[in-house]
Structure formats: C-alpha cells, structure tokens
Amino acid sequence: MSKSTLADQTLLLDHGSGGQASNRLIGSLFFKYFDNPILNAMNDAARLEISGPLSMSTDSYTVDPIFFPGGDIGTLAVHGTVNDVAMMGARPKYLSCGFILEEGLPMETLERIVASMADAAAEAGVTIVTGDTKVVPRGAVDKVFINTTGIGEIFANPAPTGSSARPGDAVLVSGTMGDHGLTVLSGREGLNFATDIKSDSAPLNHMVDALISKIGDIHVLRDPTRGGLATTLNEIAGQSGVCINLREADVPVRESVRNGCSFLGLDPLYLANEGKLICILPQEKAQAALELMRSMPYGADATQVGTVRSGEQGPGKAGQVVLETPLGGHRLLSMLEGEQLPRIC
C-alpha cells in the first residue's frame, strides 16, 4: 500500500479486526514509521533488555483539537510519557502505544499522527516496541485516542521525588508557563490572537539527564501539566511537608499568553505545560542549574521562581504555596479544584 493509496482511504471497522485488513494497516503504516527489530519481531509482547530500578508511566491522550500549533496528539503522546518517566531521574528507553480510532477517520490523518510520533520518539531517543490498534464505530470515540506507556532506567541516586523538597531549596522552572493550555484552547474555540502562541510540547529527558549528571543533588523534578505550575507546586508542598514561596513577578509568561489569558479570564499559573519542568535543588546549585538549562534547546527561559520554607515562620504553613505579588503582598495559591480546561492532553 503506497502513501498515495493511504491518503485516499478511510478507516474501516475491518482495520481493527485482527484479520488481513489489520495486518495491512500495521505493515503499511505502523511498521513503516516505527521500524525497529523489537517491534518487527511481531510477538504478543516485546522482549526488553533493561536492568536496575525502573521508572514506568502510562497516560492516555484525548486532546481536542488533535492538531494544534507546535504539535499534535502524536507528539503529545510521546513527549508526555517520556517526560513523566524522566522526572524520576530515569533515562526513558521504551514506549508502547495503543490507538483507539474512529471508523471513518481519514487514513491520511492517521499517517500524519504516526509520522509525528516517530519523529518525536527519535528526538527523545526512545523506541516504540509494542502497540495495539482498535477501530470503533462512528461516534464511539472522537477521531483518535492514544495511550502510551514508557519504561526507563533510573540512574539518579537518590532519585528525585515529590517528597524530597527541603527548606532552603530553590524552585526553578525551565521556561514560560501556560503556552500549551492557551494554544489548545485557542485552537478548539477558533480564537485568533494574531500572535505566535504555540504549544511548548517537547521532550525533556535530555535536560533531566544533564541536570542529574552535571549538577547533581536534584531533590524534585516534575512537569507541570494539567493544573499548571500552581497545582503542581501544591502537590509538592503537600508531599514534602514544606511551604513554597512563589514570586509572581519572576514567573516567566510570554506576553502573548498573558494577553490571551487576560482576555479570557484565565490564570497562566493554572494552565497546562507540555515541555517545561520544575526543578527543586539546594540554593547554592541554582545558578549552575539555570545556566545549564539555558544552554539547552528547551531551557532558554529558565528562571528561579521561588524558594522552599519550613512553614514555621512567615506567611503560609507546611503544605501550602504562598504567592508573593509584585506589590509585596502575599496570598495563598490553592490547588485547582477541578478541570479548568478539559481534554488538554
């Protein structure tokens, strides 16, 4: 089946039947882009060469729209899982991917998604070793949903965890906040801010590797996805039993995102990011970590945005996040109560 032939077809229920139509789809599309010896063995499960403590994560992606400035559901599925695995101080190695596809989906659309997944996996240095495809009747799913599971080898010792923030630590972010969330919302609602707003979806595993290998003593690594920076910092504060002081004026936000949020009544501190990380480490190592992140492709806007306190003195207490406003006031920054923007990833 040639690429031109694929472009003229749509998915049929037969393509998920496990029969000849399924085999043609797998052979002409998935093997074409995900080609590697483990996958090509066509066994019921992948045989992996991996040792030591492992980091494993799984996530399902239902983003609407499936294509948006800066990425698509395919790149998001790779980046999101790669980043989650890496945040445990691991080197991601293998991915699985499961597709739930709507009958009638243009084959050209599916091929575009699969091709972008292959490019994203190659950039991250991970191998897609096993997968599954299901085709469901029209209306049973919205175009395409993707599940990815990732496995990596933990090389940090000790591994960074959400419960490891310590008083006196610095809180760093690798770049601007809210880019992905506002981009997806704009695409979904057909909003045009006449700006360069685009998703920040990107693999962060190489940055994580460099931080751990060259800086060391990394206490916490997290990627602030759904719920954004504010919700993620609340999770860390609760897990570690500390108070986190966040300086609003130091949080990097693109002017286009700030203006869009102002127009829509949104807070960029709660918007999803898909290519940014939070790094918490001793204050004396903060500057070196910032310089390292700024030298890498996805860390040019890395900034220290806050500090960690015990919560015994000053505003706030253990388990809380305190926002210092540009005027010098303080207020509690609570965790997001519900889903601010559904189907953001």
Side-chain angles (χ1 to χ4, degrees):
M1 188 184 299
S2 67
K3 184 175 180 179
S4 59
T5 304
L6 277 176
D8 296 333
Q9 294 193 6
T10 58
L11 277 170
L12 306 174
L13 290 175
D14 287 348
H15 286 115
S17 67
Q20 291 186 12
S22 292
N23 286 336
R24 285 195 298 270
L25 177 66
I26 292 169
S28 62
L29 183 58
F30 296 115
F31 280 12
K32 173 182 176 182
Y33 289 100
F34 298 162
D35 177 58
N36 66 79
I38 300 174
L39 184 66
N40 294 347
M42 296 185 67
N43 293 315
D44 284 347
R47 176 178 173 174
L48 308 179
E49 299 294 334
I50 196 165
S51 61
L54 305 180
S55 172
M56 180 177 178
S57 181
T58 189
D59 206 344
S60 298
Y61 298 86
T62 66
V63 65
D64 175 34
I66 57 175
F67 298 105
F68 45 83
D72 58 55
I73 192 171
T75 57
L76 198 60
V78 172
H79 295 156
T81 297
V82 162
N83 293 345
D84 284 345
V85 170
M87 295 305 140
M88 285 294 294
R91 294 187 176 106
K93 294 190 66 175
Y94 303 114
L95 289 181
S96 73
C97 62
F99 294 84
I100 301 179
L101 307 170
E102 183 181 22
E103 177 190 17
L105 180 74
M107 201 73 77
E108 184 178 25
T109 298
L110 179 59
E111 182 169 22
R112 180 179 168 189
I113 292 169
V114 171
S116 66
M117 287 185 74
D119 290 341
E123 182 183 6
V126 297
T127 306
I128 297 174
V129 295
T130 189
D132 181 58
T133 303
K134 296 291 190 297
V135 181
V136 297
R138 295 175 189 269
V141 67
D142 186 3
K143 302 180 188 68
V144 53
F145 292 167
I146 302 175
N147 172 272
T148 47
T149 297
I151 297 177
E153 295 176 337
I154 296 176
F155 69 99
N157 186 20
T161 67
S163 60
S164 298
R166 298 290 178 263
D169 282 353
V171 180
L172 317 180
V173 295
S174 62
T176 54
M177 296 289 105
D179 298 31
H180 177 74
L182 191 64
T183 298
V184 172
L185 176 64
S186 301
R188 184 183 306 168
E189 302 300 331
L191 301 175
N192 183 2
F193 295 110
T195 65
D196 58 350
I197 295 176
K198 67 177 183 177
S199 172
D200 59 347
S201 184
L204 299 174
N205 53 313
H206 303 307
M207 182 184 295
V208 168
D209 198 316
L211 283 168
I212 292 171
S213 300
K214 298 180 180 180
I215 305 299
D217 204 13
I218 308 298
H219 293 170
V220 182
L221 287 171
R222 294 289 285 272
D223 58 335
T225 52
R226 285 177 296 179
L229 179 64
T231 296
T232 308
L233 288 180
N234 268 279
E235 292 172 352
I236 295 168
Q239 288 177 273
S240 296
V242 296
C243 179
I244 294 178
N245 273 24
L246 182 66
R247 295 185 295 271
E248 186 175 12
D250 292 340
V251 177
V253 180
R254 297 187 192 281
E255 193 62 28
S256 54
V257 172
R258 194 182 303 279
N259 291 339
C261 287
S262 177
F263 177 76
L264 296 170
L266 299 173
D267 187 340
L269 296 179
Y270 290 96
L271 289 182
N273 312 274
E274 290 292 346
K276 305 290 164 52
L277 62 77
I278 298 168
C279 175
I280 299 180
L281 77 174
Q283 181 65 57
E284 59 268 23
K285 293 197 171 189
Q287 188 57 40
L290 288 172
E291 290 175 2
L292 175 63
M293 286 192 283
R294 290 167 184 164
S295 72
M296 304 193 74
Y298 302 114
D301 297 311
T303 307
Q304 179 170 349
V305 296
T307 55
V308 178
R309 295 191 297 103
S310 65
E312 295 176 357
Q313 294 180 339
K317 58 184 180 180
Q320 294 181 331
V321 177
V322 176
L323 182 70
E324 181 181 331
T325 70
L327 296 178
H330 297 85
R331 66 180 177 90
L332 291 180
L333 198 63
S334 61
M335 184 178 291
L336 189 65
E337 178 65 28
E339 185 71 83
Q340 183 173 345
L341 301 174
R343 293 188 62 184
I344 210 71
C345 61

